[in-house]
């Protein structure tokens, strides 16, 4: 497992709608390992193994992150902001941020009106101070539409845990790309299409474009899920999910039971720990778009347990990342055109 590439993903800017810079790094990393790399006009990158193989499995993980967007520059030089995805406004005050302007990153600090102290903060209550004297001075550095993210960096914690910004979902983008590399080493013969999708946090457009274009036989979305091992969470909501417990398989109305069964068999064969969560209806991941593309796609969801989702610093387990890579690599080397995916067959 190449932690340098993981840290490159986690330390880069990819606020939803501004993913191309990071996608170029994905292309640079994956070119030596793929038989073909495709891009599309919405910004997806597709890393492909065995493009001539008739049986195709698509792995999808979104490359975009939540963040803020400059919406207005005040006369006093402070910035007003909107949201790109499901930010939690109460977690932003006091944090240092980076605003990515046309001429490069600009440092700022998030503040709020003290009159809001006893009220529930909304994104519209936040301001960003970049040190500008006035609006004209601020416009030398930033403009409306510039993306903003917390200025935090990956840090390894005790017990092989990792704290970083936007593990959701660059940690999972790393998982699918490393799984392709490992499957190739083991002689995988099916068509593997690893898509780092754009826009999941805001529109879901990337998954729809990719699924419609590739038309895979099977699609697995890899995203994060809520761990239930920290204050304010409850296992009764969807299951007992813990950091270090392994990748999480989703029992849902979307998830294909035969694919889940095959994933469990692969986990048992390789002695990989795994966990279960249950959701009915939409999963709030790329799986929701993917399983409805074309004439329908056999779809499953594999998740990385995560603490503090959509906060400036999220926490995951490096062991769970490694086990997720190993599970998916084994799955890619096991499934094939003769795998029976018909739910009416016992």
């Amino acid at each position: 497992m190449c932690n340098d590439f993981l840290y490159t993903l986690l330390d880069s800017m990819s606020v939803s709608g501004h993913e191309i810079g990071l996608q170029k790094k994905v292309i640079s990393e994956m070119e030596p390992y793929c038989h073909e790399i495709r891009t599309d006009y919405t910004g997806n990158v597709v890393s492909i193994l065995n493009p001539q193989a008739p049986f195709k499995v698509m792995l999808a993980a979104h490359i975009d992150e939540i963040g803020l967007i400059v919406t207005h520059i005040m006369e006093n030089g402070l910035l007003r902001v909107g949201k790109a995805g499901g930010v939690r406004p109460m977690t932003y005050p006091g944090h240092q941020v980076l605003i990515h302007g046309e001429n490069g990153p600009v440092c700022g600090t998030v503040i709020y009106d003290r009159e809001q102290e006893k009220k529930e903060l909304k994104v519209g209550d936040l301001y960003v101070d970049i040190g500008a004297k006035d609006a004209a001075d601020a416009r030398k550095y930033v403009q409306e539409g510039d993306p903003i993210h917390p200025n935090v960096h990956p840090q390894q914690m005790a017990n092989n845990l990792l704290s970083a910004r936007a593990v959701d979902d660059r940690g999972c983008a790393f998982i699918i790309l490393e799984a392709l590399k490992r499957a190739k080493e083991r002689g995988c013969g099916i068509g593997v299409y690893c898509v780092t999708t754009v826009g999941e946090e805001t529109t879901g457009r990337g998954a729809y474009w990719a699924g419609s274009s590739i038309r895979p036989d099977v699609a697995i979305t890899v995203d994060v899920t809520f761990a239930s091992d920290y204050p304010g969470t409850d296992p009764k909501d969807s299951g007992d999910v813990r950091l270090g417990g392994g990748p999480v398989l989703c029992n849902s109305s979307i998830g294909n039971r035969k694919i889940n069964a095959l994933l469990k068999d692969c986990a048992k064969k390789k002695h990989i720990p795994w966990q279960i969560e249950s959701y009915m209806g939409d999963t709030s991941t790329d799986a929701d778009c993917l399983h409805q593309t074309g004439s329908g796609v056999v779809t499953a969801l594999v998740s990385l347990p995560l603490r503090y989702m959509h906060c400036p610093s999220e926490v995951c387990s490096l062991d769970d990342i490694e086990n997720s890579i190993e599970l998916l690599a084994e799955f890619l080397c096991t499934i094939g055109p003769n795998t029976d995916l018909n739910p009416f067959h016992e």
Side-chain angles (χ1 to χ4, degrees):
M1 190 168 83
C2 179
N3 283 1
D4 288 346
F5 180 42
L6 173 60
Y7 286 6
T8 293
L9 292 171
L10 293 172
D11 227 6
S12 300
M13 192 283 291
S14 63
V15 173
S16 198
H18 301 266
E19 303 96 338
I20 300 303
L22 182 51
Q23 292 284 48
K24 290 179 179 178
K25 295 179 183 179
V26 170
I27 293 171
S28 178
E29 171 69 21
M30 295 306 294
E31 276 181 330
Y33 302 96
C34 297
H35 295 129
E36 183 182 343
I37 291 183
R38 298 176 190 169
T39 59
D40 60 33
Y41 289 159
T42 203
N44 292 320
V45 171
V46 188
S47 301
I48 307 172
L49 195 62
N50 306 319
Q52 303 307 317
F55 186 82
K56 297 182 286 188
V57 173
M58 174 178 167
L59 303 182
H62 68 90
I63 203 78
D64 64 318
E65 63 176 308
I66 62 167
L68 303 173
I69 297 291
V70 178
T71 58
H72 176 62
I73 300 174
M74 301 175 67
E75 285 303 315
N76 62 4
L78 293 178
L79 312 181
R80 304 306 301 269
V81 298
K83 62 179 182 177
V87 301
R88 300 187 177 196
M90 72 290 293
T91 66
Y92 276 78
H95 269 282
Q96 296 177 335
V97 293
L98 284 181
I99 306 95
H100 289 262
E102 185 177 347
N103 297 316
V106 178
C107 295
T109 297
V110 180
I111 61 172
Y112 67 100
D113 190 329
R114 290 292 298 275
E115 292 184 4
Q116 295 294 124
E117 210 157 55
K118 295 183 179 180
K119 301 177 183 178
E120 182 180 349
L121 281 179
K122 296 181 172 56
V123 172
D125 300 321
L126 302 179
Y127 304 78
V128 176
D129 184 350
I130 63 170
K133 299 174 183 177
D134 52 33
D137 187 35
R139 289 187 182 280
K140 296 176 184 177
Y141 308 99
V142 300
Q143 61 183 358
E144 290 83 357
D146 286 344
I148 305 170
H149 65 73
N151 190 14
V152 297
H153 304 282
Q155 299 183 82
Q156 191 157 343
M157 304 164 66
N159 298 309
N160 217 24
L161 301 189
L162 176 68
S163 171
R165 177 186 105 249
V167 176
D168 177 12
D169 193 37
R170 277 104 59 111
C172 297
F174 176 76
I175 287 169
I176 67 169
L177 296 172
E178 291 296 304
L180 180 149
K181 295 177 186 178
R182 203 167 293 185
K184 182 182 181 183
E185 289 176 357
R186 298 176 185 177
C188 175
I190 64 168
V192 179
Y193 294 71
C194 285
V195 189
T196 46
T197 63
V198 298
E200 190 271 352
E201 297 288 4
T202 49
T203 64
R205 71 185 191 279
Y208 188 84
W209 278 54
S212 299
S213 172
I214 296 167
R215 299 181 69 84
D217 295 283
V218 173
I220 296 182
T221 293
V222 185
D223 210 324
V224 297
T225 193
F226 292 97
S228 59
D229 60 356
Y230 65 97
T233 63
D234 192 334
K236 72 175 177 56
D237 293 335
S238 59
D240 189 2
V241 173
R242 298 178 177 273
L243 265 60
V248 183
L249 308 183
C250 185
N251 282 332
S252 72
S253 53
I254 290 174
N256 182 273
R257 293 186 180 277
K258 289 218 163 185
I259 296 300
N260 275 350
L262 183 54
L263 286 164
K264 291 175 186 177
D265 288 343
C266 291
K268 292 172 184 176
K269 178 182 176 182
K270 302 297 287 187
H271 306 289
I272 298 168
W274 50 273
Q275 308 179 75
I276 288 287
E277 64 179 353
S278 297
Y279 283 106
M280 288 298 106
D282 290 346
T283 65
S284 298
T285 71
D286 278 340
D288 299 338
C289 289
L290 276 175
H291 86 289
Q292 298 186 67
T293 58
S295 57
V297 178
V298 173
T299 304
L301 174 63
V302 174
S303 299
L304 175 70
L306 190 68
R307 293 176 184 163
Y308 325 125
M309 192 185 301
H310 284 201
C311 292
S313 291
E314 301 170 330
V315 175
C316 69
S317 165
L318 289 168
D319 293 336
D320 289 336
I321 289 178
E322 166 59 28
N323 283 322
S324 297
I325 294 168
E326 185 64 15
L327 175 62
L328 291 172
E330 181 64 22
F331 175 83
L332 294 173
C333 293
T334 301
I335 195 170
N338 295 323
T339 302
D340 185 0
L341 301 175
N342 191 326
F344 294 98
H345 295 168
E346 293 296 334

